[in-house]
Amino acid sequence: MPKYAILIVEDPAYYAGLSPEDWPAVVAAHGTFVQKVSELGGSLTGGEALAPPSSATTIKRGGEVVDGPFLSTREAVNGYYVIEARDRDHAIEIATWCPAPAPGGGVEVRPVVDPSSNPF
């Protein structure tokens, strides 16, 4: 089955203001998503939460190293999953279950590139 990345795109400020009592609900929502992937006939091959964009270091072409994210934007990729799905429509069906609890948050679904071919 082809692989797809599900990128969780949200405003990281939401998590900075989240109370310690609210964090378990976020974790539980992701646990439910992981379970739903297999219920829908897909498989999870990886995924992680990412530290806030303020922790990023960007290395630009030519070797310039800059503290902070590559782009200055309100939303950032806060985590990702890699799934195997039958096709794009199946990957989208699975991705609709991926939690993005921050207001205005969402997910982006992209095929993972097979390195033996050029997708561009």
Side-chain angles (χ1 to χ4, degrees), residues 33-73:
F33 171 71
V34 168
Q35 184 178 4
K36 196 71 177 173
V37 171
S38 70
E39 288 175 11
L40 292 170
S43 62
L44 184 67
T45 64
E48 298 287 341
L50 299 174
S54 60
S55 68
T57 299
T58 300
I59 303 164
K60 297 195 174 198
R61 185 172 296 265
E64 178 186 3
V65 178
V66 180
D67 286 336
F70 185 73
L71 297 173
S72 181
T73 180

Side-chain angles (χ1 to χ4, degrees), residues 1-119:
M1 284 201 288
K3 290 184 180 179
Y4 295 85
I6 299 173
L7 306 174
I8 303 167
V9 181
E10 303 171 295
D11 182 350
Y14 171 80
Y15 293 98
L18 198 65
S19 75
E21 296 79 27
D22 291 333
W23 184 247
V26 172
V27 173
H30 284 277
T32 300
F33 171 71
V34 168
Q35 184 178 4
K36 196 71 177 173
V37 171
S38 70
E39 288 175 11
L40 292 170
S43 62
L44 184 67
T45 64
E48 298 287 341
L50 299 174
S54 60
S55 68
T57 299
T58 300
I59 303 164
K60 297 195 174 198
R61 185 172 296 265
E64 178 186 3
V65 178
V66 180
D67 286 336
F70 185 73
L71 297 173
S72 181
T73 180
R74 204 180 117 199
E75 293 183 335
V77 177
N78 289 333
Y80 67 94
Y81 289 102
V82 178
I83 61 166
E84 289 182 327
R86 290 185 299 276
D87 54 30
R88 180 180 176 271
D89 291 337
H90 187 217
I92 291 169
E93 176 188 5
I94 291 169
T96 63
W97 290 91
C98 185
V107 298
E108 180 178 318
V109 178
R110 282 199 215 172
V112 173
V113 174
D114 175 352
S116 67
S117 64
N118 182 348

